[in-house]
Amino acid sequence: MYRTHTCGELRISDVSKSVTLAGWVQRARKLGGMTFIDLRDRYGITQLVVGADAPEALVESANSLGREFVIQVKGTVVERQSKNPKMDTGDVEIAVSDINILNKSLTPPFTIEEQSDGGEDIRAKYRYLDLRRAPLKRALELRHRIAHECRNYLDAHGFLEIETPYLIKSTPEGARDFVVPSRMNPGEFYALPQSPQTFKQLLMVAGYDRYMQIVRCFRDEDLRADRQPEFTQIDCEMSFVEQDDVLAMFEGMMRSLFKNVLGVDVPNPLPRMSWYDAMDNYGSDKPDVRFGMLIHEITADAQGHGFGVFDSVPYVGAIAVEGAAGWSRKELDELTEWVKRPQIGAKGLVYIKLNEDGTVKSSIDKFFSPEELQAIAAKVEAKKGDLVLVLCGPKRKTQTQLGVLRLELAGRAGLRDPKVFAPLWIVDFPLLEWSEEDGRFYAMHHPFTAPKPEHLDLFYSDRKEDLERVCANAYDFVLNGNELGGGSIRIHNADVQERMFQVLGIGKEEAEYKFGFIINAFKFGAPPHGGLAFGFDRLCALFGGQETIRDYIAFPKNNQGRDVMIDSPSRIDQVQMDELCLASTVKQ
Ligand code: ASP
């Protein structure tokens, strides 16, 4: 036996036991003739001590230990003179009688402690060393716990975990596919699944009416700050359900996760908000509802006062920032520059200060009387001492800008506490999204999402305005300003599916080539069905109180989509290229 106990296990009740431990040397230090060693494994750290009166060979061996050496020690558990209440094992130490060096280690390039001194790049390169650190270990433990709870809940509700293939053909999630050349079929390619969408629907056709899978998905997107080219979903589908059935099932799952993993109670039932309300009031389809600062439309009050900027746009909106009336000119200028950055794209920022003494001060004083400014402030629900910030322009665009501003200011004010959880459902999405650029509709969710039955007539209309009004039977699960999951009731009728492709400008031939298999399957008794998928990595990060998903993935990629540890992607040799019938246009 390599060890009798782990390094996180021994307590005061174990005093005088003979034990054998094995692990990594976190650090060794000499103190008054004694050597203290922190021995670490996955479970914790135990202090070892080699006394001043120990045999010379033992002292020598203890003094030869470097950081991250792997050792096995034998000894006796003794009570510590100076206890460390911060450590689970802090009441005891091991009086070492024997040290066996199992393996030496090079000096690690950064400290392997709660807080490392290593920068992100070096830690990514030596990920296996970074993973020895307690914060990462806790993250992976949390990930395991959540996966386990999910499976338990879904198993108890009759879901089968069924694997679907990775080498498939293009899926319709709207991102770019990763492709894999087929050696056996020269010139042909597999696509890696952007999600198992079509397969889970085929499983419904096959009669497996409750499917789940914790599954990897692949999307070749430009990696915005916190995306990964491969990520994990909790993917689910059910048959013979309506939207309410799906929402009830999965908010049950989320409720049990919150309760069993975090000990947090969330409302039952969860709040629901329509997409339209979310956009109008929060300027986002994934509203953070932990705080107010709602967006208010003030177009009618703002126009007709001779202020050309307001008069020439379709929408004027505002938010009230609590207690910010005292902001200086400099602070307001800084904020104006901030909203004008290309990522946000506002043209300018108008303010109204509601001073504590009841007076108002505004950048548009010239055009509005104090009473008119007060009336606008009242509409925005601002009180004395608050600051009203106004943006204007096209409606959705301006609301989105106000939404971003709202989040930024709430963040600065400390209103986005990661330990407060405010989940909700967003429902009643538009089915289609018009792209001015491409002059065509795109599916807001994906092309298998069903229109609401009461909107079927509109769906068959040829007028753009009608089609824009069609609502989808789609829903998103939103937590603290993050879209954590989304899904829909699906089209299960071949005619409606064909109409959908037609609306999306996908010709009959193209639809047949890309999705013929599923249209065909719908002709063989497809049951009504629907489902959703949760972003598992993000779920873990939010449960862990972190913004970034990278710590919750054992071997993540960097912002350029590279795994710098294994150095991938990398070139392949000419033989492989030839076998795959690939010609490189990149200079090698
Ligand atoms: N396949 C969808 C997605 O990845 C989820 C769903 O509709 O079930 O977003």
Side-chain angles (χ1 to χ4, degrees):
M1 259 215 295
Y2 266 111
R3 54 182 175 184
T4 57
H5 296 80
T6 70
C7 295
E9 203 176 340
L10 295 168
R11 300 287 182 274
I12 197 81
S13 53
D14 295 304
V15 162
S16 78
K17 277 188 190 158
S18 296
V19 296
T20 308
L21 300 185
W24 287 262
V25 173
Q26 174 136 326
R27 55 195 187 126
R29 59 202 184 280
K30 283 216 259 184
L31 217 107
M34 317 224 276
T35 307
F36 292 94
I37 299 155
D38 285 346
L39 191 68
R40 175 194 354 97
D41 66 8
R42 199 186 113 192
Y43 306 92
I45 291 177
T46 299
Q47 178 162 288
L48 316 176
V49 57
V50 176
D53 51 353
E56 206 173 304
L58 185 58
V59 174
E60 228 165 69
S61 167
N63 290 342
S64 74
L65 298 176
R67 280 165 53 206
E68 301 308 311
F69 276 33
V70 189
I71 62 172
Q72 180 190 44
V73 296
K74 292 190 195 323
T76 310
V77 184
V78 295
E79 186 171 354
R80 270 214 222 177
Q81 294 294 317
S82 52
K83 303 202 168 48
N84 181 350
K86 287 204 198 112
M87 286 172 73
D88 290 340
T89 61
D91 287 348
V92 297
E93 60 194 6
I94 312 298
V96 175
S97 56
D98 186 42
I99 296 176
N100 177 14
I101 296 177
L102 299 174
N103 212 343
K104 290 185 176 174
S105 170
L106 296 175
T107 304
F110 49 86
T111 54
I112 300 179
E113 313 219 346
E114 185 76 29
Q115 298 281 344
S116 175
D117 62 358
E120 208 168 300
D121 293 347
I122 190 87
R123 284 189 288 118
K125 182 158 189 238
Y126 296 90
R127 182 72 173 174
Y128 46 89
L129 296 181
D130 206 21
L131 284 170
R132 289 183 188 166
R133 293 172 52 233
L136 280 117
K137 187 202 70 182
R138 287 196 296 270
L140 292 187
E141 281 172 355
L142 179 68
R143 186 181 173 104
H144 166 79
R145 177 90 277 120
I146 297 174
H148 190 73
E149 286 292 337
C150 273
R151 288 198 168 96
N152 272 354
Y153 176 92
L154 293 172
D155 177 62
H157 287 84
F159 284 78
L160 292 182
E161 180 155 17
I162 302 174
E163 285 157 280
T164 51
Y166 281 165
L167 295 175
I168 64 167
K169 105 191 216 173
S170 191
T171 33
E173 304 289 357
R176 210 172 279 120
D177 288 321
F178 280 105
V179 294
V180 180
S182 165
R183 181 185 54 80
M184 286 191 289
N185 304 276
E188 295 190 310
F189 296 81
Y190 301 101
L192 299 180
Q194 293 180 34
S195 85
Q197 186 61 37
T198 48
F199 285 94
K200 66 176 173 177
Q201 291 193 243
L202 293 171
L203 283 170
M204 294 304 113
V205 179
Y208 294 83
D209 63 356
R210 290 185 172 198
Y211 143 94
M212 65 86 55
Q213 187 181 189
I214 297 187
V215 62
R216 201 67 56 79
C217 302
F218 306 85
R219 295 183 192 177
D220 186 4
E221 294 177 294
D222 292 333
L223 301 177
R224 276 184 276 130
D226 200 28
R227 292 271 184 106
Q228 288 280 311
E230 50 177 311
F231 60 96
T232 304
Q233 283 188 344
I234 306 166
D235 190 47
C236 307
E237 196 76 4
M238 303 169 79
S239 291
F240 306 114
V241 285
E242 291 173 339
Q243 175 164 308
D244 277 351
D245 304 308
V246 178
L247 299 195
M249 175 63 72
F250 292 100
E251 65 176 77
M253 181 181 96
M254 292 310 293
R255 199 169 295 113
S256 86
L257 289 183
F258 272 109
K259 186 76 194 161
N260 298 340
V261 178
L262 294 178
V264 166
D265 288 305
V266 291
N268 183 9
L270 288 184
R272 294 184 192 179
M273 190 187 290
S274 82
W275 180 87
Y276 294 91
D277 286 345
M279 290 306 297
D280 287 346
N281 298 325
Y282 296 88
S284 168
D285 57 3
K286 37 181 195 290
D288 188 342
V289 296
R290 283 174 295 182
F291 57 95
M293 219 194 287
L294 298 194
I295 297 169
H296 296 266
E297 170 161 14
I298 55 164
T299 315
D301 309 73
Q303 293 185 333
H305 294 266
F307 184 45
V309 177
F310 285 171
D311 289 347
S312 61
V313 292
Y315 174 92
V316 187
I319 55 172
V321 192
E322 215 179 307
W327 282 6
S328 66
R329 175 92 237 177
K330 193 164 157 245
E331 282 171 301
L332 288 167
D333 286 349
E334 182 265 328
L335 202 60
T336 307
E337 286 314 308
W338 191 86
V339 296
K340 281 161 87 176
R341 294 180 320 155
Q343 300 96 305
I344 302 176
K347 295 250 158 56
L349 181 69
V350 165
Y351 69 83
I352 306 169
K353 287 178 169 182
L354 295 188
N355 298 325
E356 290 289 357
D357 63 6
T359 59
V360 286
K361 167 97 192 75
S362 167
S363 47
I364 46 171
D365 281 342
K366 255 205 267 166
F367 303 94
F368 292 79
S369 71
E371 293 70 36
E372 285 162 348
L373 292 173
Q374 293 280 9
I376 291 179
K379 224 188 198 149
V380 185
E381 291 174 26
K383 313 175 302 303
K384 268 187 202 164
D386 293 354
L387 172 73
V388 176
L389 296 174
V390 185
L391 294 180
C392 65
K395 180 172 166 182
R396 292 289 179 226
K397 192 171 161 199
T398 307
Q399 287 174 334
T400 306
Q401 292 166 345
L402 282 164
V404 177
L405 180 62
R406 174 182 174 270
L407 287 183
E408 170 70 14
L409 294 175
R412 293 188 194 179
L415 298 174
R416 307 190 70 192
D417 180 354
K419 298 226 157 45
V420 175
F421 296 98
L424 78 161
W425 293 106
I426 303 299
V427 294
D428 299 340
F429 283 79
L431 181 72
L432 302 161
E433 216 174 5
W434 180 259
S435 159
E436 280 303 337
E437 223 168 88
D438 303 349
R440 55 157 283 198
F441 278 113
Y442 285 93
M444 190 126 178
H445 187 51
H446 53 55
F448 301 114
T449 296
K452 285 207 184 282
E454 60 270 29
H455 287 181
L456 262 185
D457 282 348
L458 285 177
F459 183 56
Y460 278 90
S461 159
D462 285 331
R463 297 177 49 215
K464 180 172 159 246
E465 308 79 68
D466 287 342
L467 289 167
E468 271 174 331
R469 279 168 46 219
V470 179
C471 262
N473 240 333
Y475 31 79
D476 274 359
F477 182 89
V478 169
L479 179 62
N480 296 359
N482 296 277
E483 181 203 318
L484 252 198
S488 57
I489 297 300
R490 323 298 184 189
I491 296 167
H492 65 280
N493 168 301
D495 294 337
V496 180
Q497 189 63 68
E498 272 170 326
R499 167 69 186 157
M500 184 63 162
F501 288 133
Q502 188 192 13
V503 169
L504 297 177
I506 302 176
K508 260 204 148 69
E509 234 167 71
E510 188 186 350
E512 178 56 37
Y513 175 70
K514 283 187 174 159
F515 303 116
F517 64 98
I518 195 156
I519 298 175
N520 214 22
F522 286 169
K523 295 176 181 160
F524 287 90
H529 62 287
L532 82 184
F534 291 96
F536 182 53
D537 309 295
R538 170 103 30 226
L539 175 69
C540 295
L542 289 176
F543 267 46
Q546 302 293 325
E547 289 286 317
T548 148
I549 61 174
R550 222 173 279 164
D551 285 353
Y552 293 81
I553 298 170
F555 298 106
K557 299 193 173 33
N558 71 8
N559 280 350
Q560 282 76 49
R562 296 201 72 82
D563 183 327
V564 292
M565 179 183 65
I566 59 172
D567 190 20
S568 163
S570 53
R571 293 199 185 116
I572 57 175
D573 61 35
Q574 196 56 48
V575 178
Q576 258 177 316
M577 294 278 283
D578 292 345
E579 267 176 359
L580 295 168
C581 302
L582 293 178
S584 175
T585 52
V586 181
K587 263 218 194 101
Q588 302 266 329

